[in-house]
Amino acid sequence: MRKATHRPRPKLIVRRCHKCEETIEAHKEQQKCHHCGKSFLPLNYFVKVHEHDPQKFQELYAEGHELNEDDLVKGLFVLW
């Protein structure tokens, strides 16, 4: 008999674009809306913004497993 192994599923980040109201689902924070092209700042931007190197800006976008409910903007994000 095989023992069942449970791998944690990656959290899905569900975001609503505040410009075109498109719903976006991904396992990593999106940098732009795929529908209208609106650029998004990463969650916790003001906590993370100590780096001024533009190449490190890409690292500010978090994976779903790195976020908690308290990190989300209510009404625009959901962790699933």
Side-chain angles (χ1 to χ4, degrees), residues 31 51-61:
Q31 296 179 24
E51 293 291 336
H52 296 290
D53 183 2
Q55 293 175 343
K56 296 210 178 206
F57 184 76
Q58 303 298 325
E59 298 171 11
L60 298 179
Y61 292 90

Side-chain angles (χ1 to χ4, degrees), residues 2-62:
R2 290 179 61 177
K3 184 177 178 181
T5 58
H6 297 288
R7 284 188 269 160
R9 290 178 42 201
K11 290 183 182 178
L12 185 65
I13 302 168
V14 181
R15 176 186 188 131
R16 185 146 189 174
C17 177
H18 55 279
K19 182 177 178 185
C20 71
E21 299 183 358
E22 181 75 12
T23 301
I24 304 161
E25 298 179 5
H27 294 287
K28 183 173 177 147
E29 285 184 80
Q30 294 295 300
Q31 296 179 24
K32 288 187 174 190
C33 176
H34 60 83
H35 184 257
C36 71
K38 171 74 176 155
S39 295
F40 302 133
L41 286 175
L43 290 169
N44 296 322
Y45 173 76
F46 293 107
V47 174
K48 299 174 183 176
V49 77
H50 301 293
E51 293 291 336
H52 296 290
D53 183 2
Q55 293 175 343
K56 296 210 178 206
F57 184 76
Q58 303 298 325
E59 298 171 11
L60 298 179
Y61 292 90

